[in-house]
Amino acid sequence: MRSLRIVLVLAPFLALVLQALLPGKASPLTAVRPEIQHAMHPMPCRVSQAERVRHEVPPERLPPRGAKGESPWESGSFPLSLVGNVGYDHISTDTADVVTGARGSSATSQFVQHAVEFHTAGTLAENVTFHFDNGFADGAGGVLESGMAFVQFDDLGKDGAANLKVGIYDAEIPYLADSRKLTLHEYLSPVTLDGQGLELNGAKSGWTYAAGLINSGRDPANAKPGSKTFNRLENYYVWLMRDLQGQYVTARFFSDRQDPRTVDATSSQHLQAEINAQLTNGRWFLIPGYTYESFDDQPAPGIKDKHQTGLIEAIVLLDKGQRWVVTGRAEITDIAKNDVAPVTDQQLQVVNLSYFVNPNAKVALEWAHDADNVQGPRITQLNAYVHVGY
């Protein structure tokens, strides 16, 4: 277990060495999901099958690069995409008795509708784009929840060097985000930030960047006496990505004001720093990452809340037609020892085999194992599902 922890923590630094040794070959897959490209540049290039495999995008409804985008009232049609996911889940849970430590197991199997989502994105006016989406919590049986709702003003700087996004959005690194994962299971790593505010982003000369100022998640119900303002623009983040001949390296920093956990504080400072990369030779992709988090507001004397999360993900296109794709991911979060508790590990391993029936539909089989080292439940899942976007 200690060796796995060391490998995952060192993965991004090893990746930089590998990048220097790999031949300079540009990837046939863009590092940015096409609909995100559309948000940053309203006239993207056409979407290749390889890009669809990597990012599972809805059907192409965007003009070729160099063409003027049309608003819904100009084109006479409303851009709407539906994403659905239904499957059969077998879940095995191994739990420990809190008194004796003896372990027992249970298993359940059922058909589950994992996701039903509605997306719309496009052009409002020249150099103004939009994206809205909604989805049902826990599949179709849950409550309809609002998702992203933002407008972006493009090309404030020449050729996309500066764009301004305003609204509710996912603050994500292009190649590493929950919304663009190829597995059913979400990342254990904190890869996606919930943004409510504004972001300046852009790309130039092999560099891509984003800097945002967003609302905190502070809640009046958890406030201490004397606190007067909540959920204001007091969180900020910045990330910078470098394209090195088709290989990508990214660093991100996030400062987060949280609800306090001690009686003598009015807020808690959460800091997050990470480095990750996407390496490829065209048929495989390797994504290593490392995240460090610290929490200034300690829950009790002697408890230092420091987290380290290591990630390594591999994606392999098995055939020339890029229909068969295998994805494997291993993650581990290490919570530092303190005066009352030993080192705590939370681990996740996922393997997914997918077959793309066409660019907008796939069938998949996924195995996942989630466990820790402190007698918590060990959960093993086998999921067979169909994922469709239209």
Side-chain angles (χ1 to χ4, degrees):
M1 185 56 61
R2 177 62 61 176
S3 60
L4 175 61
R5 208 160 43 231
I6 293 173
V7 168
L8 290 177
V9 168
L10 292 179
F13 305 102
L14 296 175
L16 296 180
V17 176
L18 285 173
Q19 190 279 326
L21 298 177
L22 285 171
K25 181 178 180 181
S27 166
L29 307 189
T30 176
V32 184
R33 187 178 183 178
E35 55 263 44
I36 300 300
Q37 284 186 327
H38 184 61
M40 295 179 67
H41 309 282
M43 285 85 71
C45 58
R46 288 198 173 273
V47 183
S48 69
Q49 165 66 0
E51 290 171 328
R52 296 181 190 277
V53 170
R54 176 65 182 90
H55 302 302
E56 298 188 83
V57 302
E60 179 191 354
R61 299 183 182 181
L62 303 177
R65 191 173 186 85
K68 179 182 179 296
E70 291 185 332
S71 65
W73 43 88
E74 290 175 319
S75 64
S77 62
F78 185 75
L80 180 65
S81 292
L82 171 66
V83 176
N85 187 305
V86 62
Y88 185 77
D89 297 354
H90 177 77
I91 303 174
S92 177
T93 304
D94 184 352
T95 56
D97 186 275
V98 294
V99 178
T100 65
R103 304 198 71 91
S105 62
S106 61
T108 59
S109 299
Q110 59 182 341
F111 285 96
V112 178
Q113 194 164 16
H114 295 290
V116 179
E117 301 173 1
F118 302 92
H119 297 256
T120 180
T123 300
L124 285 176
E126 186 175 0
N127 294 334
V128 182
T129 53
F130 71 94
H131 187 135
F132 294 86
D133 65 48
N134 297 83
F136 290 93
D138 302 319
V143 177
L144 182 64
E145 297 179 336
S146 61
M148 290 189 290
F150 67 85
V151 173
Q152 179 156 293
F153 302 91
D154 299 299
D155 292 334
L156 301 179
K158 185 178 180 181
D159 297 328
N163 314 283
L164 180 64
K165 181 188 298 183
V166 181
I168 302 171
Y169 57 90
D170 292 335
E172 302 172 323
I173 292 168
Y175 54 80
L176 186 59
D178 279 321
S179 63
R180 295 185 293 280
K181 64 187 182 302
L182 291 181
T183 64
L184 187 63
H185 284 75
E186 295 185 351
Y187 288 95
L188 181 62
S189 303
V191 299
T192 296
L193 308 177
D194 293 327
Q196 297 186 33
L198 52 92
E199 175 189 279
L200 182 68
N201 58 63
K204 188 176 181 62
S205 302
W207 293 94
T208 304
Y209 73 91
L213 184 63
I214 59 178
N215 286 352
S216 72
R218 297 169 64 190
D219 185 349
N222 299 321
K224 296 297 188 293
S227 299
K228 298 180 180 180
T229 57
F230 308 95
N231 202 27
R232 60 182 180 181
L233 295 173
E234 58 181 358
N235 290 354
Y236 64 89
Y237 64 87
V238 59
W239 62 261
L240 185 65
M241 180 175 72
R242 177 62 173 166
D243 178 356
L244 301 170
Q245 297 183 318
Q247 319 298 324
Y248 298 88
V249 179
T250 306
R252 181 169 71 176
F253 177 80
F254 174 49
S255 175
D256 174 27
R257 303 292 291 182
Q258 297 188 334
D259 290 323
R261 292 181 291 179
T262 55
V263 296
D264 59 347
T266 58
S267 66
S268 171
Q269 182 70 59
H270 166 222
L271 299 178
Q272 177 181 314
E274 62 185 284
I275 182 172
N276 51 66
Q278 177 183 268
L279 311 176
T280 181
N281 75 344
R283 290 290 296 274
W284 56 258
F285 300 82
L286 184 66
I287 302 176
Y290 168 75
T291 303
Y292 175 81
E293 297 178 90
S294 68
F295 300 84
D296 288 346
D297 183 15
Q298 310 301 341
I303 298 180
K304 297 181 179 181
D305 212 351
K306 311 289 184 182
H307 299 186
Q308 298 183 77
T309 302
L311 155 76
I312 188 161
E313 182 173 39
I315 302 167
V316 182
L317 308 179
L318 297 178
D319 64 315
K320 291 183 179 180
Q322 301 174 348
R323 289 182 176 270
W324 288 97
V325 182
V326 63
T327 304
R329 185 170 79 244
E331 298 179 81
I332 185 169
T333 294
D334 182 297
I335 302 175
K337 64 182 296 185
N338 52 64
D339 293 350
V340 297
V343 173
T344 302
D345 291 333
Q346 182 69 33
Q347 310 140 36
L348 176 65
Q349 297 91 39
V350 181
V351 178
N352 179 290
L353 177 64
S354 295
Y355 176 73
F356 283 77
V357 180
N358 59 52
N360 306 303
K362 74 171 185 178
V363 293
L365 183 65
E366 181 167 308
W367 172 91
H369 182 69
D370 188 353
D372 60 35
N373 67 332
V374 290
Q375 300 298 311
R378 301 169 185 169
I379 303 173
T380 302
Q381 296 191 42
L382 187 63
N383 313 105
Y385 62 93
V386 177
H387 185 96
V388 178
Y390 174 76

